[in-house]
Each structure stands twice: as structure tokens, then as C-alpha cells.
């Protein structure tokens, strides 16, 4: 009878202690292998984004503004002539300020003038009209080209493709690294995507900051896209995906 009591007591203690032992084992850090993968998808652009700047100045504020307005009207009239949808034409920055203009003469005369600046952003869906738009805009009075960006209207599709390729690259890298140590990888325990940095090649007076897509659509030259008879080669753009993946290490 006494032996039975001891056995029962030991069983109860085991039931009480074992869950804690299991919990302690679960808190042990699991071995993982952390890798990064990236992939690029080359795409021929089907859209061009341009930002024109118009700058005028004169000692008379009314004259400076009138000259800027006239140049702006010429550019807007050109977009209508080229059948560019009005929703793809935007005036998003206007600045008027006095500035001291130093004249180039023997007396080093400084004259106060008023400077008027304006940005007009245009998204061109017909890339065949790109060269005409650029040349005629400059002829019509635009005196700054803040930036030109080649884009694709199917960015989501190409980005998703790049993401799949990046994941595959990360997995292949993890398998190779684990195998060199005589190990194997298990299921993925963590996946994250990162941009890898941001860079805008454009210089703006102000406005909405159109360079944000440069992170995912980067212009590059390629012989696969014909330049035709013009002076502009569209080349290809690169849609990039970067991922970080953690795999269980077995």
C-alpha cells in the first residue's frame, strides 16, 4: 500500500513538472539561416514622365508674371495639340520672389528683379511623341527640364514577378549555404521586403517630389529596344525586388 502511494505521488509530480519542462524547451532559440535575395526584371517602357520648368524675371513683377504665363500657355496648348489627356498634365508649383541680380558690367551693379517659377508635369502615354514634345516644349518657352523618367503601366505585374524571383534567389542561396555546413533548411520563419534605398536624379524647385518611383523603376540602356531614326533611345527600365528571408536550420 505504501509503495502504491509513492508511485502515485511520483506520477502526479511528473504531470505537474513536465509541462514546465516542455515550456522551457520551447523557449530555446531555434537555429535559423537569414539570407537576402534580389531580382531584376527588364521592361521596355510604354510611358514617359517629364517635368518642365518655366522661369522668367524682370524688375517689374507684372511683366515677369505675364512672360511666365505666356510660356505656360504655349506648353499647355502643345499638350492639347498632341492629344495628351488633361488628367496627365499638372501645374503643381508656382513661386514668385524678389532677388538681387548682379549685372555684368564694370560697376558691378546690383538690380532688384522679380523671379517667377513654375513646374508643369506631363505623363506621356504615346512614347512615340516623346521627342516632339521635348523639342517643341523648349521652343515654346520652357527653359528647364527637371527630369525625364521612363515608366511601365504594368508595374504591379512586373514587380510581382520580380518578387517571386527574389524569393527563389533567397531560397537557393540558403540551400547552398546550409549544404556547405552539412545542414538543410526547413520552412521559412520570416519574410520581409525592403527597398534597398531611395535615389532621385532630379532637381526640383518644389512640388510633389516625382522621383519616388525611381526606387522601383530605374532607367537603363539596352540594345534590345530600337532607337529608330530619332535622337532618343528608350532602352529598358529595371523593376527591382529585394527580400529578406529566415529559414529554419535543420
Amino acid at each position: 500500500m505504501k509503495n502504491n502511494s509513492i508511485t502515485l505521488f511520483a506520477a502526479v509530480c511528473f504531470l505537474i513538472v513536465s509541462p514546465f519542462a516542455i515550456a522551457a524547451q520551447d523557449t530555446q532559440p531555434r537555429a535559423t539561416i537569414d539570407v537576402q535575395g534580389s531580382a531584376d526584371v527588364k521592361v521596355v517602357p510604354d510611358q514617359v514622365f517629364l517635368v518642365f520648368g518655366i522661369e522668367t524675371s524682370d524688375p517689374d513683377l507684372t511683366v515677369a508674371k505675364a512672360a511666365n504665363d505666356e510660356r505656360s500657355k504655349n506648353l499647355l496648348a502643345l499638350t492639347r495639340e498632341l492629344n495628351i489627356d488633361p488628367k496627365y498634365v499638372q501645374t503643381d508649383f508656382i513661386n514668385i520672389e524678389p532677388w538681387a541680380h548682379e549685372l555684368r558690367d564694370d560697376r558691378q551693379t546690383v538690380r532688384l528683379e522679380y523671379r517667377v517659377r513654375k513646374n508643369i508635369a506631363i505623363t506621356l502615354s504615346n512614347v512615340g511623341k516623346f521627342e516632339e514634345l521635348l523639342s517643341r516644349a523648349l521652343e515654346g518657352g520652357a527653359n528647364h527640364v527637371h527630369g525625364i523618367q521612363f515608366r511601365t503601366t504594368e508595374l504591379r505585374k512586373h514587380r510581382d514577378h520580380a518578387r517571386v524571383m527574389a524569393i527563389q534567389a533567397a531560397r537557393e542561396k540558403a540551400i547552398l549555404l546550409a549544404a556547405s555546413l552539412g545542414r538543410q533548411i526547413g520552412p521559412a520563419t520570416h519574410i520581409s521586403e525592403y527597398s534597398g534605398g531611395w535615389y532621385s536624379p532630379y532637381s526640383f524647385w518644389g512640388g510633389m517630389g516625382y522621383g519616388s518611383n525611381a526606387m522601383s523603376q530605374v532607367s537603363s540602356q539596352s540594345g534590345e529596344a530600337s532607337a529608330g531614326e530619332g535622337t532618343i533611345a528608350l532602352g529598358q527600365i529595371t523593376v527591382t525586388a529585394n527580400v529578406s528571408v529566415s529559414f529554419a536550420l535543420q
Side-chain angles (χ1 to χ4, degrees):
M1 182 69 179
K2 183 177 180 180
N3 291 337
N4 292 338
S5 298
I6 294 174
T7 302
L8 179 61
F9 176 77
V12 171
C13 289
F14 176 78
L15 291 175
I16 295 175
V17 173
S18 58
F20 293 99
I22 294 173
Q25 293 176 359
D26 289 341
T27 59
Q28 295 295 325
R30 295 182 178 180
T32 62
I33 180 170
D34 304 325
V35 293
Q36 295 178 343
S38 61
D40 296 334
V41 175
K42 301 290 186 180
V43 183
V44 176
D46 59 4
Q47 193 177 74
V48 186
F49 179 76
L50 307 92
V51 181
F52 293 103
I54 299 173
E55 179 177 7
T56 55
S57 63
D58 194 88
D60 188 325
L61 174 58
T62 303
V63 174
K65 183 180 181 304
N68 196 286
D69 290 344
E70 183 63 26
R71 294 179 181 221
S72 299
K73 289 178 181 178
N74 291 339
L75 180 55
L76 295 177
L78 175 60
T79 63
R80 292 190 293 270
E81 183 180 339
L82 296 179
N83 296 318
I84 300 175
D85 194 320
K87 68 182 179 182
Y88 294 133
V89 180
Q90 182 179 33
T91 302
D92 88 311
F93 175 78
I94 299 175
N95 175 255
I96 301 175
E97 61 181 359
W99 68 299
H101 177 55
E102 183 175 337
L103 300 178
R104 295 182 179 274
D105 56 22
D106 295 335
R107 295 175 298 174
Q108 294 184 341
T109 306
V110 175
R111 182 174 67 178
L112 180 65
E113 294 188 1
Y114 291 92
R115 181 164 53 191
V116 181
R117 289 172 167 176
K118 188 178 298 180
N119 282 351
I120 297 181
I122 300 173
T123 301
L124 185 64
S125 297
N126 186 346
V127 295
K129 296 181 179 180
F130 167 66
E131 191 169 358
E132 180 182 2
L133 172 62
L134 179 61
S135 298
R136 294 183 60 184
L138 297 175
E139 293 171 359
N143 43 20
H144 293 271
V145 180
H146 290 304
I148 298 173
Q149 189 179 87
F150 300 108
R151 297 178 173 180
T152 172
T153 55
E154 295 186 316
L155 176 61
R156 176 60 185 272
K157 181 184 76 172
H158 298 304
R159 182 182 287 164
D160 287 346
H161 184 201
R163 285 167 174 157
V164 173
M165 293 172 60
I167 288 290
Q168 182 63 28
R171 180 177 178 82
E172 292 174 356
K173 184 187 295 184
I175 292 174
L176 178 63
L177 293 176
S180 67
L181 298 174
R183 306 285 291 271
Q184 293 182 337
I185 66 169
T189 60
H190 177 77
I191 302 173
S192 63
E193 184 179 22
Y194 63 97
S195 65
W198 183 89
Y199 171 71
S200 173
Y202 308 144
S203 174
F204 292 97
W205 295 322
M208 297 176 63
Y210 300 99
S212 57
N213 276 339
M215 175 174 59
S216 52
Q217 300 190 61
V218 183
S219 298
S220 63
Q221 295 300 319
S222 170
E224 298 180 20
S226 172
E229 297 180 355
T231 61
I232 304 297
L234 292 179
Q236 291 182 313
I237 59 174
T238 303
V239 180
T240 302
N242 302 283
V243 298
S244 178
V245 187
S246 297
F247 293 95
L249 193 59
Q250 298 178 345

